[in-house]
Amino acid sequence: MDIERRKRGRECDPSFEERDDERGQDLTAATDSALSFCILELPTHLLYDILSRLPPKTIFFCKCVCKTFLKIFGDPYFAEIHVTKAPDVAASIVLQDCSVPSEFRFFYMLDLEETSSSSSYSNHHPPCRHPRRSGLSKSLTVRNTKFLFCSGKVTLVGSCNGLLCLRHDSRPPALHYICNPVLGELVVLPPLTFFVNYSGFGFCPKTKQYKVICFIYLLCIDPMTNILSTKAVSEICTLGTESWRRIGDAPCPLPQCSFNSFLNGNLHWLTDHGVSASNLICSFDFEKEQFRSVPSPTHFDPVFVHKISWINVGVLGGQLCLCYIIGDSEFDVWVMKDYGVQSSWTREFVIDIKFYCGLHVNDLNYPIQFLNNGDLLFISDSKSVVSYSPRKGTFKNFKALGTDHIQAIAHIPSFVSLKDMARGKTVKLDKWRTGEGMHIYISS
């Protein structure tokens, strides 16, 4: 059709071809102009919004593009808006390798997006119970961040907005570290003179302050009955301050009974008063610095609670959730649709343990986090990172870890700089790059 049109045009008007060529040149010029559009010409707020949606790995590459990008990525405002979008573009877990007795403690940040691209589905089958037995450092890819401490007594406390909290317990005084493994920054909090039994890490959205709370168990003797009992007191430290503050008696947390449980400025855990459903779940408000009880589901009467063989509290889709196992048959997940309202507890899904041949209760005892698609991520008894899809009823193997001594927490990488909140405290920048990723070497 175009050829016939051009023929008729040339026969009727000799200047047709010249005008047609001019139109073609104009179109080419317009196309070249569109392709040469510079992203830096966008309004500042749009530019920040676009760049904040990039994965951390891409942001590191973009830092090398131009000085303008480098300046943007170093802006505290960019770090603030990136944190709000990071859960949609970045997902990772921090693994602590405790398998090798050593004076060093190794941590690995595993990129879930990268790892899941090479994983495989196993429909209606539990995690493989015979993974390849190799060292953790060999089973992770070279793109994962590795950082280490010159001490074997450093343990993971928690993660919040891309910052990690770790605790050093080898000797009094206990030390807490706050670090950003992406930026290679670390701050040491003031020492504590007591042995710390449990620690928590969180953020106050109103004041934009990061705080660490510690629980210290004390032995008490009733002067009337001479009965020995244990009570917990708590102390809190705000990042950037020089001391800890005593905030009074606290409910005793159960160890390893919460995962990714920071929600709405509150940290949640289960108490050791599980026989009473009214105070089974406790929370700490980082703004008001107060403890509160969170109502349990209505069916959690004392008789039902005694039937629970394992229970944990976490967050699913921005809602508080309870995961528990009744006997050896069912893994139940309940969510609180309206925070603080007892009647809003709703059963989200259940895993019929007996339905999956070879699935054991221990395979479900170590949840890490819920992914954005609702899948539950956990470390199975076979020492593999595994997810379960409630929608499909399938398991997905992410990674065989190859070691029996692993601790893990959910982590969202960010560009929140400790320099912006340290308030004069020394921020260590001990980082370098090798073929195995980023290392942070901090002596205790």
Side-chain angles (χ1 to χ4, degrees):
M1 292 293 293
D2 187 57
I3 295 176
E4 293 298 328
R5 182 183 63 83
R6 296 174 71 91
K7 284 182 179 180
R8 290 195 301 270
R10 280 194 295 269
E11 293 172 354
C12 299
D13 186 356
S15 64
F16 175 84
E17 187 169 353
E18 182 179 350
R19 293 198 306 272
D20 192 58
D21 290 341
E22 290 177 356
R23 284 195 295 270
Q25 292 175 1
D26 292 341
L27 179 61
T28 302
T31 303
D32 291 342
S33 177
L35 293 176
S36 63
F37 170 75
C38 181
I39 189 174
L40 298 179
E41 296 177 8
L42 288 173
T44 303
H45 70 282
L46 289 180
L47 185 59
Y48 272 66
D49 184 72
I50 293 172
L51 296 178
S52 66
R53 300 174 186 272
L54 298 176
K57 193 181 301 181
T58 305
I59 291 177
F60 271 113
F61 293 146
C62 289
K63 280 186 173 184
C64 304
V65 172
C66 62
K67 292 183 179 180
T68 301
F69 279 5
L70 184 62
K71 182 178 179 181
I72 290 175
F73 295 138
D75 188 346
Y77 175 68
F78 172 80
E80 182 178 341
I81 61 175
H82 178 266
V83 164
T84 63
K85 298 178 174 62
D88 297 326
V89 297
S92 67
I93 57 176
V94 173
L95 303 168
Q96 178 179 353
D97 186 3
C98 310
S99 59
V100 181
S102 171
E103 62 181 354
F104 298 100
R105 182 54 53 90
F106 292 87
F107 299 87
Y108 302 85
M109 192 165 66
L110 177 60
D111 186 342
L112 297 181
E113 297 298 329
E114 174 186 310
T115 308
S116 62
S117 62
S118 60
S119 60
S120 60
Y121 280 94
S122 53
N123 293 334
H124 300 290
H125 288 285
C128 174
R129 304 191 64 78
H130 302 285
R132 180 171 59 90
R133 291 291 172 179
S134 60
L136 176 59
S137 59
K138 295 181 181 178
S139 66
L140 299 182
T141 65
V142 296
R143 294 176 181 173
N144 292 294
T145 302
K146 180 172 74 174
F147 51 106
L148 60 92
F149 282 75
C150 183
S151 171
K153 298 294 184 179
V154 176
T155 57
L156 288 168
V157 172
S159 171
C160 184
N161 293 344
L163 301 182
L164 281 176
C165 179
L166 306 103
R167 188 178 71 237
H168 184 272
D169 286 328
S170 63
R171 65 186 186 280
L175 291 176
H176 288 79
Y177 307 96
I178 308 295
C179 72
N180 186 329
V182 171
L183 299 181
E185 299 177 349
L186 179 140
V187 168
V188 183
L189 298 185
L192 275 166
T193 56
F194 300 96
F195 178 79
V196 176
N197 297 87
Y198 184 86
S199 299
F201 179 49
F203 174 72
C204 176
K206 184 176 182 179
T207 62
K208 302 187 183 304
Q209 293 177 321
Y210 292 86
K211 300 180 181 182
V212 176
I213 181 172
C214 291
F215 296 82
I216 304 164
Y217 290 1
L218 302 177
L219 292 177
C220 304
I221 299 178
D222 190 325
M224 301 297 294
T225 62
N226 289 330
I227 296 178
L228 187 66
S229 62
T230 302
K231 77 170 185 176
V233 296
S234 57
E235 296 201 0
I236 193 168
C237 181
T238 302
L239 180 59
T241 61
E242 298 293 336
S243 62
W244 292 81
R245 295 176 286 110
R246 178 69 61 91
I247 54 177
D249 295 347
C252 298
L254 286 174
Q256 298 182 347
C257 283
S258 63
F259 65 100
N260 194 30
S261 60
F262 181 77
L263 176 68
N264 300 331
N266 292 265
L267 187 67
H268 302 82
W269 64 90
L270 300 178
T271 70
D272 61 355
H273 302 294
V275 293
S276 174
S278 61
N279 55 8
L280 173 65
I281 309 173
C282 188
S283 70
F284 179 76
D285 188 326
F286 279 93
E287 177 185 347
K288 300 179 180 179
E289 297 187 355
Q290 295 177 352
F291 297 98
R292 286 194 299 247
S293 294
V294 179
S296 305
T298 53
H299 64 282
F300 268 51
D301 55 44
V303 176
F304 183 84
V305 171
H306 277 294
K307 295 179 181 179
I308 296 176
S309 58
W310 172 91
I311 188 169
N312 217 313
V313 62
V315 174
L316 168 59
Q319 298 171 331
L320 191 67
C321 77
L322 274 177
C323 306
Y324 61 87
I325 295 176
I326 296 293
D328 295 331
S329 58
E330 288 186 353
F331 180 94
D332 277 44
V333 176
W334 288 67
V335 297
M336 181 179 263
K337 298 292 186 179
D338 189 0
Y339 185 77
V341 180
Q342 184 179 30
S343 59
S344 67
W345 280 105
T346 305
R347 193 185 204 185
E348 192 72 9
F349 66 89
V350 60
I351 302 176
D352 187 351
I353 298 175
K354 295 181 179 180
F355 175 76
Y356 297 92
C357 179
L359 182 63
H360 295 260
V361 173
N362 291 339
D363 285 322
L364 306 174
N365 276 2
Y366 203 150
I368 303 173
Q369 72 175 118
F370 284 94
L371 303 179
N372 289 333
N373 61 2
D375 291 0
L376 174 59
L377 192 71
F378 55 91
I379 295 180
S380 71
D381 195 43
S382 61
K383 307 308 173 186
S384 298
V385 180
V386 178
S387 72
Y388 173 79
S389 172
R391 295 171 288 106
K392 301 177 181 179
T394 58
F395 290 92
K396 180 179 180 180
N397 290 308
F398 271 80
K399 199 71 173 178
L401 301 177
T403 180
D404 293 330
H405 303 281
I406 285 292
Q407 293 183 2
I409 60 173
H411 181 71
I412 302 296
S414 78
F415 294 87
V416 175
S417 176
L418 293 171
K419 296 178 183 178
D420 300 326
M421 59 195 73
R423 298 179 184 176
K425 292 181 68 66
T426 302
V427 178
K428 295 185 179 181
L429 299 171
D430 299 311
K431 72 175 181 179
W432 62 91
R433 291 190 177 275
T434 69
E436 295 184 355
M438 182 190 302
H439 293 223
I440 301 177
Y441 180 88
I442 304 294
S443 60
S444 56

